[in-house]
Amino acid sequence: NRLGILIVRHLKRLERVILGYLEVCDGPEEEARLGILETLQCTIEHAWPRMPCRLPVLLKALLKMIWDVHTDQGPTPELVKAALLQGATECLILLDRCSEGQVKVLLEGVYSSCEENRVRECIRRVQENT
């Protein structure tokens, strides 16, 4: 928050850190992933002019994380899973806003081919958000 738009100076390095944290489950409470989703939301809000060029990488990582959370059979409580899915959905909504609707277009094919209700719900919330 303190850096504001100046975060763009560190965007390449920060993106690598964010992607790394999104990939790895960090235990039942998922504190690191929840924290990195907040960081990503803040980054998108402050560096939104630079986000469309990062859209393919971030979209892929967020969708993979949503799928991983959905299919997780570990000891992660349902409330934590719901918080992770909510955070990822909010990031997708922010990415859609700064990319002028590109995320909605890209998610259309995913939504039609996905049969998992929990994943479809996340995508539906992004598509309905204006």
Side-chain angles (χ1 to χ4, degrees), residues 35-102:
I36 209 68
L37 285 169
E38 286 180 38
T39 301
L40 179 56
Q41 288 174 20
C42 187
T43 303
I44 295 168
E45 289 170 357
H46 290 295
W48 63 267
R50 299 291 177 109
M51 288 295 121
C53 65
R54 290 177 158 67
L55 181 61
V57 173
L58 293 174
L59 180 61
K60 180 180 175 182
L62 287 166
L63 287 174
K64 183 178 181 325
M65 192 205 83
I66 288 171
W67 181 258
D68 289 348
V69 168
H70 167 69
T71 58
D72 179 26
Q73 300 296 320
T76 306
E78 284 302 314
L79 284 174
V80 174
K81 288 182 180 182
L84 286 168
L85 294 174
Q86 174 67 26
T89 302
E90 289 173 11
C91 288
L92 289 171
I93 289 169
L94 288 172
L95 283 171
D96 185 62
R97 287 180 183 162
C98 68
S99 68
E100 299 177 352
Q102 288 181 29

Side-chain angles (χ1 to χ4, degrees), residues 1 3-22 35-48 50-51 54 57-58 61:
N1 270 336
L3 285 176
I5 190 67
L6 297 178
I7 193 71
V8 297
R9 293 179 182 168
H10 309 282
L11 215 44
K12 187 177 279 191
R13 194 171 333 141
L14 181 59
E15 181 182 295
R16 285 193 305 264
V17 171
I18 289 170
L19 295 175
Y21 274 95
L22 288 177
I36 209 68
L37 285 169
E38 286 180 38
T39 301
L40 179 56
Q41 288 174 20
C42 187
T43 303
I44 295 168
E45 289 170 357
H46 290 295
W48 63 267
R50 299 291 177 109
M51 288 295 121
R54 290 177 158 67
V57 173
L58 293 174

